[in-house]
PDB file of all heavy atoms in Angstrom:
ATOM      1  N   ASP A   1       8.843   8.496 -32.547  1.00 69.00           N
ATOM      2  CA  ASP A   1       9.515   8.320 -31.283  1.00 69.00           C
ATOM      3  C   ASP A   1       9.677   6.818 -30.859  1.00 69.00           C
ATOM      4  O   ASP A   1       9.967   6.589 -29.694  1.00 69.00           O
ATOM      5  CB  ASP A   1       8.909   9.160 -30.157  1.00 69.00           C
ATOM      6  CG  ASP A   1       7.427   8.779 -29.998  1.00 69.00           C
ATOM      7  OD1 ASP A   1       6.945   7.864 -30.641  1.00 69.00           O
ATOM      8  OD2 ASP A   1       6.761   9.479 -29.163  1.00 69.00           O
ATOM      9  N   GLY A   2       9.418   5.985 -31.757  1.00 66.00           N
ATOM     10  CA  GLY A   2       9.552   4.536 -31.389  1.00 66.00           C
ATOM     11  C   GLY A   2       8.482   4.002 -30.428  1.00 66.00           C
ATOM     12  O   GLY A   2       8.629   3.018 -29.839  1.00 66.00           O
ATOM     13  N   GLY A   3       7.413   4.797 -30.268  1.00 64.00           N
ATOM     14  CA  GLY A   3       6.307   4.402 -29.436  1.00 64.00           C
ATOM     15  C   GLY A   3       6.458   4.755 -27.966  1.00 64.00           C
ATOM     16  O   GLY A   3       5.623   4.401 -27.158  1.00 64.00           O
ATOM     17  N   ALA A   4       7.484   5.470 -27.682  1.00 70.00           N
ATOM     18  CA  ALA A   4       7.715   5.902 -26.257  1.00 70.00           C
ATOM     19  C   ALA A   4       6.736   7.001 -25.921  1.00 70.00           C
ATOM     20  O   ALA A   4       6.475   7.912 -26.645  1.00 70.00           O
ATOM     21  CB  ALA A   4       9.148   6.379 -26.081  1.00 70.00           C
ATOM     22  N   LEU A   5       6.217   6.927 -24.710  1.00 70.00           N
ATOM     23  CA  LEU A   5       5.275   7.931 -24.191  1.00 70.00           C
ATOM     24  C   LEU A   5       6.060   8.964 -23.390  1.00 70.00           C
ATOM     25  O   LEU A   5       7.127   8.667 -22.764  1.00 70.00           O
ATOM     26  CB  LEU A   5       4.221   7.327 -23.260  1.00 70.00           C
ATOM     27  CG  LEU A   5       3.270   6.372 -23.880  1.00 70.00           C
ATOM     28  CD1 LEU A   5       2.381   5.676 -22.815  1.00 70.00           C
ATOM     29  CD2 LEU A   5       2.373   7.095 -24.877  1.00 70.00           C
ATOM     30  N   ALA A   6       5.569  10.155 -23.461  1.00 73.00           N
ATOM     31  CA  ALA A   6       6.205  11.223 -22.660  1.00 73.00           C
ATOM     32  C   ALA A   6       5.969  10.915 -21.193  1.00 73.00           C
ATOM     33  O   ALA A   6       4.999  10.288 -20.809  1.00 73.00           O
ATOM     34  CB  ALA A   6       5.608  12.578 -23.038  1.00 73.00           C
ATOM     35  N   THR A   7       6.926  11.323 -20.312  1.00 79.00           N
ATOM     36  CA  THR A   7       6.805  11.015 -18.933  1.00 79.00           C
ATOM     37  C   THR A   7       5.473  11.470 -18.252  1.00 79.00           C
ATOM     38  O   THR A   7       4.801  10.688 -17.587  1.00 79.00           O
ATOM     39  CB  THR A   7       7.996  11.591 -18.122  1.00 79.00           C
ATOM     40  OG1 THR A   7       9.190  11.116 -18.671  1.00 79.00           O
ATOM     41  CG2 THR A   7       7.966  11.288 -16.622  1.00 79.00           C
ATOM     42  N   PRO A   8       5.017  12.726 -18.513  1.00 83.00           N
ATOM     43  CA  PRO A   8       3.757  13.112 -17.906  1.00 83.00           C
ATOM     44  C   PRO A   8       2.567  12.248 -18.390  1.00 83.00           C
ATOM     45  O   PRO A   8       1.666  11.869 -17.608  1.00 83.00           O
ATOM     46  CB  PRO A   8       3.520  14.551 -18.337  1.00 83.00           C
ATOM     47  CG  PRO A   8       4.781  15.032 -18.911  1.00 83.00           C
ATOM     48  CD  PRO A   8       5.603  13.820 -19.229  1.00 83.00           C
ATOM     49  N   THR A   9       2.581  11.902 -19.705  1.00 77.00           N
ATOM     50  CA  THR A   9       1.480  11.049 -20.208  1.00 77.00           C
ATOM     51  C   THR A   9       1.543   9.668 -19.583  1.00 77.00           C
ATOM     52  O   THR A   9       0.496   9.120 -19.220  1.00 77.00           O
ATOM     53  CB  THR A   9       1.648  10.945 -21.772  1.00 77.00           C
ATOM     54  OG1 THR A   9       1.697  12.224 -22.332  1.00 77.00           O
ATOM     55  CG2 THR A   9       0.512  10.138 -22.334  1.00 77.00           C
ATOM     56  N   ARG A  10       2.762   9.132 -19.496  1.00 78.00           N
ATOM     57  CA  ARG A  10       2.910   7.794 -18.907  1.00 78.00           C
ATOM     58  C   ARG A  10       2.399   7.807 -17.447  1.00 78.00           C
ATOM     59  O   ARG A  10       1.711   6.930 -17.005  1.00 78.00           O
ATOM     60  CB  ARG A  10       4.410   7.490 -18.962  1.00 78.00           C
ATOM     61  CG  ARG A  10       4.703   6.022 -18.515  1.00 78.00           C
ATOM     62  CD  ARG A  10       6.097   5.575 -18.771  1.00 78.00           C
ATOM     63  NE  ARG A  10       7.075   6.560 -18.275  1.00 78.00           N
ATOM     64  CZ  ARG A  10       8.085   7.056 -18.960  1.00 78.00           C
ATOM     65  NH1 ARG A  10       8.304   6.629 -20.200  1.00 78.00           N
ATOM     66  NH2 ARG A  10       8.946   7.930 -18.475  1.00 78.00           N
ATOM     67  N   GLU A  11       2.829   8.828 -16.695  1.00 84.00           N
ATOM     68  CA  GLU A  11       2.355   8.931 -15.300  1.00 84.00           C
ATOM     69  C   GLU A  11       0.832   9.029 -15.171  1.00 84.00           C
ATOM     70  O   GLU A  11       0.225   8.448 -14.341  1.00 84.00           O
ATOM     71  CB  GLU A  11       3.004  10.111 -14.576  1.00 84.00           C
ATOM     72  CG  GLU A  11       4.554   9.942 -14.426  1.00 84.00           C
ATOM     73  CD  GLU A  11       4.905   8.802 -13.563  1.00 84.00           C
ATOM     74  OE1 GLU A  11       4.190   8.512 -12.596  1.00 84.00           O
ATOM     75  OE2 GLU A  11       5.845   8.080 -13.883  1.00 84.00           O
ATOM     76  N   ARG A  12       0.238   9.885 -16.058  1.00 84.00           N
ATOM     77  CA  ARG A  12      -1.223  10.061 -16.056  1.00 84.00           C
ATOM     78  C   ARG A  12      -1.964   8.770 -16.349  1.00 84.00           C
ATOM     79  O   ARG A  12      -2.923   8.400 -15.721  1.00 84.00           O
ATOM     80  CB  ARG A  12      -1.624  11.203 -17.023  1.00 84.00           C
ATOM     81  CG  ARG A  12      -3.010  11.618 -16.833  1.00 84.00           C
ATOM     82  CD  ARG A  12      -3.403  12.792 -17.763  1.00 84.00           C
ATOM     83  NE  ARG A  12      -3.577  12.243 -19.094  1.00 84.00           N
ATOM     84  CZ  ARG A  12      -2.792  12.557 -20.134  1.00 84.00           C
ATOM     85  NH1 ARG A  12      -1.773  13.437 -19.992  1.00 84.00           N
ATOM     86  NH2 ARG A  12      -2.977  12.029 -21.332  1.00 84.00           N
ATOM     87  N   ILE A  13      -1.438   8.025 -17.341  1.00 81.00           N
ATOM     88  CA  ILE A  13      -2.032   6.713 -17.696  1.00 81.00           C
ATOM     89  C   ILE A  13      -1.904   5.754 -16.572  1.00 81.00           C
ATOM     90  O   ILE A  13      -2.844   5.064 -16.214  1.00 81.00           O
ATOM     91  CB  ILE A  13      -1.402   6.171 -18.968  1.00 81.00           C
ATOM     92  CG1 ILE A  13      -1.851   7.035 -20.171  1.00 81.00           C
ATOM     93  CG2 ILE A  13      -1.861   4.737 -19.264  1.00 81.00           C
ATOM     94  CD1 ILE A  13      -1.129   6.705 -21.493  1.00 81.00           C
ATOM     95  N   LEU A  14      -0.754   5.717 -15.947  1.00 81.00           N
ATOM     96  CA  LEU A  14      -0.535   4.811 -14.752  1.00 81.00           C
ATOM     97  C   LEU A  14      -1.466   5.108 -13.588  1.00 81.00           C
ATOM     98  O   LEU A  14      -2.075   4.250 -13.026  1.00 81.00           O
ATOM     99  CB  LEU A  14       0.946   4.888 -14.325  1.00 81.00           C
ATOM    100  CG  LEU A  14       1.235   3.997 -13.134  1.00 81.00           C
ATOM    101  CD1 LEU A  14       1.044   2.524 -13.491  1.00 81.00           C
ATOM    102  CD2 LEU A  14       2.669   4.238 -12.673  1.00 81.00           C
ATOM    103  N   GLU A  15      -1.597   6.431 -13.315  1.00 84.00           N
ATOM    104  CA  GLU A  15      -2.526   6.804 -12.239  1.00 84.00           C
ATOM    105  C   GLU A  15      -3.948   6.422 -12.547  1.00 84.00           C
ATOM    106  O   GLU A  15      -4.683   5.964 -11.679  1.00 84.00           O
ATOM    107  CB  GLU A  15      -2.420   8.303 -11.995  1.00 84.00           C
ATOM    108  CG  GLU A  15      -1.207   8.739 -11.296  1.00 84.00           C
ATOM    109  CD  GLU A  15      -1.095  10.267 -11.150  1.00 84.00           C
ATOM    110  OE1 GLU A  15      -2.097  10.947 -11.272  1.00 84.00           O
ATOM    111  OE2 GLU A  15       0.080  10.712 -10.981  1.00 84.00           O
ATOM    112  N   ASP A  16      -4.353   6.641 -13.854  1.00 82.00           N
ATOM    113  CA  ASP A  16      -5.732   6.319 -14.243  1.00 82.00           C
ATOM    114  C   ASP A  16      -5.925   4.778 -14.151  1.00 82.00           C
ATOM    115  O   ASP A  16      -6.967   4.319 -13.640  1.00 82.00           O
ATOM    116  CB  ASP A  16      -5.934   6.764 -15.686  1.00 82.00           C
ATOM    117  CG  ASP A  16      -7.343   6.489 -16.147  1.00 82.00           C
ATOM    118  OD1 ASP A  16      -8.292   6.716 -15.353  1.00 82.00           O
ATOM    119  OD2 ASP A  16      -7.533   6.027 -17.332  1.00 82.00           O
ATOM    120  N   VAL A  17      -4.973   4.009 -14.609  1.00 81.00           N
ATOM    121  CA  VAL A  17      -5.111   2.565 -14.496  1.00 81.00           C
ATOM    122  C   VAL A  17      -5.168   2.086 -13.061  1.00 81.00           C
ATOM    123  O   VAL A  17      -6.009   1.277 -12.659  1.00 81.00           O
ATOM    124  CB  VAL A  17      -3.924   1.881 -15.300  1.00 81.00           C
ATOM    125  CG1 VAL A  17      -3.906   0.397 -14.958  1.00 81.00           C
ATOM    126  CG2 VAL A  17      -4.075   2.093 -16.773  1.00 81.00           C
ATOM    127  N   LEU A  18      -4.275   2.631 -12.239  1.00 81.00           N
ATOM    128  CA  LEU A  18      -4.331   2.213 -10.813  1.00 81.00           C
ATOM    129  C   LEU A  18      -5.602   2.633 -10.123  1.00 81.00           C
ATOM    130  O   LEU A  18      -6.022   1.955  -9.200  1.00 81.00           O
ATOM    131  CB  LEU A  18      -3.072   2.801 -10.115  1.00 81.00           C
ATOM    132  CG  LEU A  18      -1.726   2.178 -10.573  1.00 81.00           C
ATOM    133  CD1 LEU A  18      -0.578   2.884  -9.843  1.00 81.00           C
ATOM    134  CD2 LEU A  18      -1.666   0.668 -10.277  1.00 81.00           C
ATOM    135  N   SER A  19      -6.133   3.777 -10.463  1.00 81.00           N
ATOM    136  CA  SER A  19      -7.373   4.219  -9.793  1.00 81.00           C
ATOM    137  C   SER A  19      -8.558   3.346 -10.190  1.00 81.00           C
ATOM    138  O   SER A  19      -9.483   3.143  -9.393  1.00 81.00           O
ATOM    139  CB  SER A  19      -7.673   5.707 -10.113  1.00 81.00           C
ATOM    140  OG  SER A  19      -8.065   5.796 -11.495  1.00 81.00           O
ATOM    141  N   ARG A  20      -8.501   2.800 -11.394  1.00 79.00           N
ATOM    142  CA  ARG A  20      -9.603   1.957 -11.884  1.00 79.00           C
ATOM    143  C   ARG A  20      -9.462   0.464 -11.504  1.00 79.00           C
ATOM    144  O   ARG A  20     -10.398  -0.266 -11.560  1.00 79.00           O
ATOM    145  CB  ARG A  20      -9.719   2.041 -13.423  1.00 79.00           C
ATOM    146  CG  ARG A  20     -10.159   3.379 -13.883  1.00 79.00           C
ATOM    147  CD  ARG A  20     -10.194   3.408 -15.351  1.00 79.00           C
ATOM    148  NE  ARG A  20     -10.425   4.741 -15.815  1.00 79.00           N
ATOM    149  CZ  ARG A  20     -11.203   5.025 -16.843  1.00 79.00           C
ATOM    150  NH1 ARG A  20     -11.823   4.117 -17.512  1.00 79.00           N
ATOM    151  NH2 ARG A  20     -11.348   6.326 -17.269  1.00 79.00           N
ATOM    152  N   ALA A  21      -8.254   0.119 -11.209  1.00 80.00           N
ATOM    153  CA  ALA A  21      -7.970  -1.268 -10.831  1.00 80.00           C
ATOM    154  C   ALA A  21      -8.595  -1.677  -9.535  1.00 80.00           C
ATOM    155  O   ALA A  21      -8.512  -0.891  -8.558  1.00 80.00           O
ATOM    156  CB  ALA A  21      -6.458  -1.545 -10.831  1.00 80.00           C
ATOM    157  N   LYS A  22      -9.254  -2.826  -9.483  1.00 73.00           N
ATOM    158  CA  LYS A  22      -9.797  -3.291  -8.262  1.00 73.00           C
ATOM    159  C   LYS A  22      -8.912  -4.378  -7.648  1.00 73.00           C
ATOM    160  O   LYS A  22      -8.468  -5.292  -8.410  1.00 73.00           O
ATOM    161  CB  LYS A  22     -11.170  -3.923  -8.506  1.00 73.00           C
ATOM    162  CG  LYS A  22     -12.208  -2.911  -8.991  1.00 73.00           C
ATOM    163  CD  LYS A  22     -13.565  -3.547  -9.267  1.00 73.00           C
ATOM    164  CE  LYS A  22     -14.532  -2.579  -9.800  1.00 73.00           C
ATOM    165  NZ  LYS A  22     -15.800  -3.222 -10.125  1.00 73.00           N
ATOM    166  N   PRO A  23      -8.640  -4.269  -6.381  1.00 71.00           N
ATOM    167  CA  PRO A  23      -7.817  -5.392  -5.838  1.00 71.00           C
ATOM    168  C   PRO A  23      -8.600  -6.702  -5.850  1.00 71.00           C
ATOM    169  O   PRO A  23      -9.792  -6.735  -5.730  1.00 71.00           O
ATOM    170  CB  PRO A  23      -7.604  -4.898  -4.387  1.00 71.00           C
ATOM    171  CG  PRO A  23      -8.711  -3.974  -4.099  1.00 71.00           C
ATOM    172  CD  PRO A  23      -9.072  -3.341  -5.415  1.00 71.00           C
ATOM    173  N   SER A  24      -7.869  -7.784  -6.054  1.00 67.00           N
ATOM    174  CA  SER A  24      -8.518  -9.056  -6.132  1.00 67.00           C
ATOM    175  C   SER A  24      -8.903  -9.462  -4.664  1.00 67.00           C
ATOM    176  O   SER A  24      -8.174  -9.326  -3.770  1.00 67.00           O
ATOM    177  CB  SER A  24      -7.587 -10.129  -6.706  1.00 67.00           C
ATOM    178  OG  SER A  24      -6.480 -10.302  -5.866  1.00 67.00           O
ATOM    179  N   ARG A  25     -10.141  -9.915  -4.591  1.00 68.00           N
ATOM    180  CA  ARG A  25     -10.655 -10.306  -3.245  1.00 68.00           C
ATOM    181  C   ARG A  25     -10.421 -11.771  -3.072  1.00 68.00           C
ATOM    182  O   ARG A  25     -10.883 -12.583  -3.883  1.00 68.00           O
ATOM    183  CB  ARG A  25     -12.136  -9.973  -3.149  1.00 68.00           C
ATOM    184  CG  ARG A  25     -12.417  -8.485  -3.255  1.00 68.00           C
ATOM    185  CD  ARG A  25     -13.826  -8.205  -3.159  1.00 68.00           C
ATOM    186  NE  ARG A  25     -14.291  -8.525  -1.783  1.00 68.00           N
ATOM    187  CZ  ARG A  25     -15.571  -8.586  -1.484  1.00 68.00           C
ATOM    188  NH1 ARG A  25     -16.507  -8.451  -2.344  1.00 68.00           N
ATOM    189  NH2 ARG A  25     -15.908  -8.897  -0.221  1.00 68.00           N
ATOM    190  N   ARG A  26      -9.656 -12.129  -2.074  1.00 69.00           N
ATOM    191  CA  ARG A  26      -9.426 -13.522  -1.803  1.00 69.00           C
ATOM    192  C   ARG A  26     -10.545 -14.078  -0.917  1.00 69.00           C
ATOM    193  O   ARG A  26     -10.713 -13.647   0.203  1.00 69.00           O
ATOM    194  CB  ARG A  26      -8.107 -13.656  -1.024  1.00 69.00           C
ATOM    195  CG  ARG A  26      -6.884 -13.196  -1.771  1.00 69.00           C
ATOM    196  CD  ARG A  26      -6.217 -14.263  -2.531  1.00 69.00           C
ATOM    197  NE  ARG A  26      -6.236 -15.537  -1.873  1.00 69.00           N
ATOM    198  CZ  ARG A  26      -5.559 -16.527  -2.275  1.00 69.00           C
ATOM    199  NH1 ARG A  26      -4.730 -16.433  -3.249  1.00 69.00           N
ATOM    200  NH2 ARG A  26      -5.599 -17.688  -1.696  1.00 69.00           N
ATOM    201  N   ARG A  27     -11.376 -14.843  -1.517  1.00 69.00           N
ATOM    202  CA  ARG A  27     -12.459 -15.473  -0.837  1.00 69.00           C
ATOM    203  C   ARG A  27     -12.011 -16.797  -0.222  1.00 69.00           C
ATOM    204  O   ARG A  27     -11.268 -17.489  -0.834  1.00 69.00           O
ATOM    205  CB  ARG A  27     -13.656 -15.779  -1.716  1.00 69.00           C
ATOM    206  CG  ARG A  27     -14.326 -14.456  -2.218  1.00 69.00           C
ATOM    207  CD  ARG A  27     -15.494 -14.823  -3.078  1.00 69.00           C
ATOM    208  NE  ARG A  27     -14.962 -15.423  -4.304  1.00 69.00           N
ATOM    209  CZ  ARG A  27     -15.688 -15.925  -5.261  1.00 69.00           C
ATOM    210  NH1 ARG A  27     -16.997 -15.959  -5.155  1.00 69.00           N
ATOM    211  NH2 ARG A  27     -15.130 -16.384  -6.328  1.00 69.00           N
ATOM    212  N   PRO A  28     -12.414 -17.062   0.974  1.00 68.00           N
ATOM    213  CA  PRO A  28     -12.022 -18.334   1.508  1.00 68.00           C
ATOM    214  C   PRO A  28     -12.705 -19.381   0.734  1.00 68.00           C
ATOM    215  O   PRO A  28     -13.948 -19.376   0.427  1.00 68.00           O
ATOM    216  CB  PRO A  28     -12.455 -18.265   2.955  1.00 68.00           C
ATOM    217  CG  PRO A  28     -13.458 -17.228   3.009  1.00 68.00           C
ATOM    218  CD  PRO A  28     -13.145 -16.262   1.927  1.00 68.00           C
ATOM    219  N   HIS A  29     -11.996 -20.427   0.370  1.00 77.00           N
ATOM    220  CA  HIS A  29     -12.566 -21.537  -0.353  1.00 77.00           C
ATOM    221  C   HIS A  29     -13.073 -22.594   0.634  1.00 77.00           C
ATOM    222  O   HIS A  29     -12.395 -23.581   0.831  1.00 77.00           O
ATOM    223  CB  HIS A  29     -11.547 -22.160  -1.288  1.00 77.00           C
ATOM    224  CG  HIS A  29     -11.012 -21.180  -2.331  1.00 77.00           C
ATOM    225  ND1 HIS A  29     -11.810 -20.811  -3.408  1.00 77.00           N
ATOM    226  CD2 HIS A  29      -9.928 -20.426  -2.448  1.00 77.00           C
ATOM    227  CE1 HIS A  29     -11.155 -19.939  -4.115  1.00 77.00           C
ATOM    228  NE2 HIS A  29      -9.984 -19.678  -3.575  1.00 77.00           N
ATOM    229  N   VAL A  30     -14.218 -22.279   1.203  1.00 82.00           N
ATOM    230  CA  VAL A  30     -14.735 -23.199   2.251  1.00 82.00           C
ATOM    231  C   VAL A  30     -15.095 -24.540   1.681  1.00 82.00           C
ATOM    232  O   VAL A  30     -14.784 -25.567   2.268  1.00 82.00           O
ATOM    233  CB  VAL A  30     -16.053 -22.509   2.875  1.00 82.00           C
ATOM    234  CG1 VAL A  30     -16.670 -23.455   3.901  1.00 82.00           C
ATOM    235  CG2 VAL A  30     -15.681 -21.199   3.534  1.00 82.00           C
ATOM    236  N   ILE A  31     -15.719 -24.558   0.511  1.00 83.00           N
ATOM    237  CA  ILE A  31     -16.174 -25.822  -0.065  1.00 83.00           C
ATOM    238  C   ILE A  31     -14.878 -26.709  -0.348  1.00 83.00           C
ATOM    239  O   ILE A  31     -14.854 -27.882  -0.064  1.00 83.00           O
ATOM    240  CB  ILE A  31     -16.940 -25.642  -1.352  1.00 83.00           C
ATOM    241  CG1 ILE A  31     -18.272 -24.936  -0.980  1.00 83.00           C
ATOM    242  CG2 ILE A  31     -17.180 -26.878  -2.110  1.00 83.00           C
ATOM    243  CD1 ILE A  31     -19.118 -24.518  -2.207  1.00 83.00           C
ATOM    244  N   GLY A  32     -13.869 -26.106  -0.900  1.00 81.00           N
ATOM    245  CA  GLY A  32     -12.607 -26.813  -1.220  1.00 81.00           C
ATOM    246  C   GLY A  32     -11.969 -27.345   0.038  1.00 81.00           C
ATOM    247  O   GLY A  32     -11.497 -28.456   0.079  1.00 81.00           O
ATOM    248  N   THR A  33     -11.988 -26.530   1.078  1.00 84.00           N
ATOM    249  CA  THR A  33     -11.418 -26.948   2.341  1.00 84.00           C
ATOM    250  C   THR A  33     -12.160 -28.106   2.947  1.00 84.00           C
ATOM    251  O   THR A  33     -11.596 -29.093   3.376  1.00 84.00           O
ATOM    252  CB  THR A  33     -11.376 -25.792   3.309  1.00 84.00           C
ATOM    253  OG1 THR A  33     -10.697 -24.694   2.750  1.00 84.00           O
ATOM    254  CG2 THR A  33     -10.687 -26.174   4.617  1.00 84.00           C
ATOM    255  N   VAL A  34     -13.532 -28.030   2.933  1.00 85.00           N
ATOM    256  CA  VAL A  34     -14.343 -29.082   3.498  1.00 85.00           C
ATOM    257  C   VAL A  34     -14.179 -30.367   2.726  1.00 85.00           C
ATOM    258  O   VAL A  34     -13.961 -31.478   3.309  1.00 85.00           O
ATOM    259  CB  VAL A  34     -15.831 -28.676   3.529  1.00 85.00           C
ATOM    260  CG1 VAL A  34     -16.756 -29.862   3.882  1.00 85.00           C
ATOM    261  CG2 VAL A  34     -16.017 -27.592   4.572  1.00 85.00           C
TER     262      VAL A  34
END
């Protein structure tokens, strides 16, 4: 199939990846600011 994933498989993988992904935490760069 040229490497194409079936729609349900693609959706399941996307949901799994999004559930495991952690949002990046923006820490204030106090030292850099000072």
Side-chain angles (χ1 to χ4, degrees):
D1 57 5
L5 293 173
T7 303
T9 306
R10 186 174 49 230
E11 293 297 322
R12 192 178 72 246
I13 291 172
L14 179 63
E15 286 175 21
D16 183 42
V17 167
L18 291 177
S19 70
R20 293 178 190 219
K22 295 180 180 176
S24 64
R25 296 180 68 193
R26 298 269 323 194
R27 292 183 289 175
H29 298 284
V30 176
I31 294 173
T33 304
V34 169

